[in-house]
Structure formats: C-alpha cells, structure tokens
Amino acid sequence: MEELEHSCPHPRTTLTEPAIFAREASCDCRAPHEKLTITQARRGTPVDRPVRVYADGIFDLFHSGHARALMQAKNLFPNTYLIVGVCSDELTHKYKGFTVMTEHERYEALRHCRYVDEVLRDAPWTLTPEFLEKHKIDFVAHDDIPYSSAGSEDVYKHIKEAGMFVPTQRTEGISTSDIITRIVRDYDVYARRNLQRGYTAKELNVSYINEKKYRLQNQVDRMKEKVRTVEEKSKHFVYRVEEKSNDLIQKWEEKSREFIGNFLELFGPDGTWVFQERSGRMLSYALSPRESPCSSPTRELSPLRSPSPPPPPLRWHSARPSPPTSPKGASASVSSMSEGDEDEK
C-alpha cells in the first residue's frame, strides 16, 4: 500500500485524506525538539513545534470507545500532533489473544479516524526510552487503569514516573470484549442470518445438522411473517368493510327518510304526520281527525264523463215458504213478507 509521507508533518487541518504512516527511520520534525512540561504544552507551542502525543493499542473491531479516547488525546493541548501505535498480529496473539480483524484492517481503520495524524505500524508492546526518543514523543496518552501484561503490573509505570503520561477516560458500556460477547451470546441468530445471506456452512464453520436446523428455522420465521402480514391485511380489509357498511346504512336511512316523506306528500291521507327518530330509525305515526264523518263524501262526477247506467235492481230469491200447518202460521208469514217489501222500498 502506498504510504503518504510529508517532509515536515503538522497536525491535519483538512479531512480529505487519510492519516499518513510513520517512517521507520526517525521523526521528520525539523524544529528543535526540546523537552516540554505539561504546563508548557497546555500554554501552547509554536506552529512548527506541535506537541507530539502517542497513543497505542490493539484497536480490534474499532468502535466509538476507541474514537472517543483518541479524541481526548488529540485535544489534550492546543497544538497536538497525534501518533497512534497499532500492535501487530504476532504480538497481540502472543500477549492478549486472537483478534477478529487482521493487523492491516486495523491499520486502515485508524488511518481513517479524523483525530489521527499518523499511524505507526507494528508498535512495540512496551515503550522504551529509545523508542520515545526515536519518534520524538512528548507525552503518552492512555486510560489511567494499570495495564498488566508481559510480566509487568503496569506497562506504563515508567512513563508515569517520568512525567510523560497523560490520562484519558474510558467509555463505559462499549468495548471489543463486549461486542464479541454479544456475538457469542446470539451465535445462532447471526449464523442463521449469514446462511440466509448466502454464506455456506463451511464458511461459518457450522455442522451439517446445525445447518439444516437453521434453514428450517428460517423457513418457519418466513411463514410466521407471511401469516402476520395476512392478518394485518385482513384487519385492514374488515375495517374498510365496516366503514363502508356504516356509510351505506347512513345513506340508506337518509334515502328512506326522503322517500317516505315524498310518498306521504303524494299519497298520504288527510291528517297530521309526526316523525320521531329513535336509535337511528324513522318511526311514522298517522293521527286521524278528531271527528270521523258518518258517511263517505260523495264523489263529484267529471263533466267529461257520462253517468254510468244504474245497476240493475237486486232481486232477492228467498226460499219458498213451507205450507202453513195452521191459519195462524199463514197469517204470520204474510205479515213478514209485507214487512220485507216495505224495507225494499
């Protein structure tokens, strides 16, 4: 990979390019490099003499906790040039353990952090005076928790005693170990996820039985999702039907009310009609006049029509009276017939 080198490095003022890689020979700073105290560094230094701060680490699975620590290191002094040392895979696997990212991936992650001015590859596990002098390092930034490793209770102990240590604060709730713990805890979920995305069981180091189990679980999840989608669509459809039904019922009631009113206007009998609404329905009551006429009014004849001929008189065919058995019975029957004739007249 091509290295970006400058004859006289200064703190980066633009963010259009990644940070440079450190030279393996020595520092490029040409300004007189005198020993600085923390007070002098905080007061400010000339532009061509930035305070060179060194921060080292593994930076595996580079996350916001790493970035915040580097941000603090960059802002320790008004004129800071931040050098970040990244340990190689060989040293890391020997003293700390296996990493997820390779050393080249970790180098590149640091180069693209906005607070970093220079990345030093294959950084030493323990800082020696010769290393500090070679790279003209003024101060070392790290969190204040003792870091026991390589047979030492604190690898930064001699840096602290020399007055070159500047502490930074750790970010709680985020670390590389926390991220790995989450992945291990939800291993089945991520294995199923990657199988679904096209990774093979061999690439995921998954056995044949587990592969079939994960694929079956993925199919079950897809079926559940389809059922859930159908249920949501059904609920929406039922709601729309209910809404349309309510609208139709309301319109039907309005039309019914209008139809009944028009019908009563045209064909209703004389009298007063009262409409009363109960529970959304129209009830009609017809009130008859107080006094009913004794007989129906005579309908007048139209002058254009000729009167119809009177109907033929009705003839009553009564049964023949049986012969009277006595004179008294005969006289009674004659008198009843005369009474009937008078009624017909």
Side-chain angles (χ1 to χ4, degrees), residues 9 19-23 52 81-84 116-120:
I20 63 172
F21 283 125
R23 287 178 178 271
R52 295 174 65 84
Y81 185 83
L82 180 60
I83 307 167
V84 178
V116 179
D117 295 301
E118 184 175 315
V119 174
L120 195 149

Side-chain angles (χ1 to χ4, degrees), residues 8-160:
C8 187
H10 295 287
R12 286 194 298 163
T13 57
T14 61
L15 299 175
T16 58
E17 295 178 349
I20 63 172
F21 283 125
R23 287 178 178 271
E24 296 182 1
S26 61
C27 172
D28 289 336
C29 184
R30 298 175 181 176
H33 193 82
E34 299 177 355
K35 183 70 174 178
L36 292 175
T37 64
I38 292 181
T39 303
Q40 291 173 334
R42 287 176 177 169
R43 189 183 302 123
T45 57
V47 176
D48 60 346
R49 174 56 174 95
V51 180
R52 295 174 65 84
V53 177
Y54 179 80
D56 60 353
I58 309 302
F59 303 105
D60 192 21
L61 297 177
F62 189 81
H63 52 75
S64 62
H66 295 141
R68 288 175 64 87
L70 298 177
M71 178 185 69
Q72 295 176 57
K74 177 67 176 177
N75 290 280
L76 287 172
F77 309 108
N79 184 17
T80 301
Y81 185 83
L82 180 60
I83 307 167
V84 178
V86 183
C87 299
S88 65
D89 287 345
E90 182 182 357
L91 279 178
T92 305
H93 297 169
K94 179 180 179 181
Y95 291 112
K96 191 169 184 178
F98 193 74
T99 58
V100 178
M101 301 171 67
T102 66
E103 58 184 52
H104 298 290
E105 292 171 339
R106 293 184 283 118
Y107 297 154
E108 285 301 313
L110 267 299
R111 287 186 69 199
H112 292 84
C113 177
R114 64 185 298 180
Y115 310 113
V116 179
D117 295 301
E118 184 175 315
V119 174
L120 195 149
R121 296 168 291 186
D122 194 13
W125 198 260
T126 303
L127 305 180
T128 62
E130 294 77 19
F131 175 82
L132 300 176
E133 177 62 29
K134 174 183 176 181
H135 294 281
K136 301 293 188 289
I137 295 172
D138 295 308
F139 299 98
V140 176
H142 200 274
D143 61 81
D144 204 15
I145 301 174
Y147 194 86
S148 59
S149 180
S152 173
E153 294 181 358
D154 187 2
V155 295
Y156 297 104
K157 182 179 179 181
H158 63 288
I159 305 294
K160 294 176 181 177

Side-chain angles (χ1 to χ4, degrees), residues 135-192:
H135 294 281
K136 301 293 188 289
I137 295 172
D138 295 308
F139 299 98
V140 176
H142 200 274
D143 61 81
D144 204 15
I145 301 174
Y147 194 86
S148 59
S149 180
S152 173
E153 294 181 358
D154 187 2
V155 295
Y156 297 104
K157 182 179 179 181
H158 63 288
I159 305 294
K160 294 176 181 177
E161 292 174 350
M164 298 176 63
F165 187 84
V166 184
T168 58
Q169 299 297 320
R170 292 177 64 91
T171 301
E172 296 297 330
I174 183 68
S175 68
T176 301
S177 298
D178 290 340
I179 295 174
I180 294 175
T181 300
R182 296 178 205 171
I183 296 172
V184 173
R185 181 188 60 200
D186 300 325
Y187 169 78
D188 288 352
V189 175
Y190 293 114
R192 288 170 53 190

Side-chain angles (χ1 to χ4, degrees), residues 192-253:
R192 288 170 53 190
R193 168 183 178 270
N194 282 12
L195 279 174
Q196 196 170 8
R197 292 192 174 189
Y199 288 87
T200 64
K202 184 177 180 180
E203 290 174 327
L204 298 174
N205 196 24
V206 173
S207 66
Y208 176 81
I209 296 176
N210 284 337
E211 179 192 5
K212 297 304 177 184
K213 181 183 74 173
Y214 294 149
R215 293 194 185 280
L216 178 60
Q217 289 174 340
N218 287 336
Q219 291 179 359
V220 171
D221 288 346
R222 284 194 292 269
M223 290 298 298
K224 288 181 179 179
E225 186 64 27
K226 287 182 180 179
V227 170
R228 193 178 299 113
T229 303
V230 171
E231 287 179 352
E232 291 295 329
K233 290 183 178 179
S234 301
K235 289 180 182 178
H236 182 69
F237 176 74
V238 171
Y239 173 77
R240 292 293 303 273
V241 169
E242 289 180 352
E243 188 178 17
K244 290 290 184 183
S245 300
N246 292 333
D247 291 342
L248 289 174
I249 291 172
Q250 186 176 0
K251 290 179 180 179
W252 181 83
E253 289 182 348

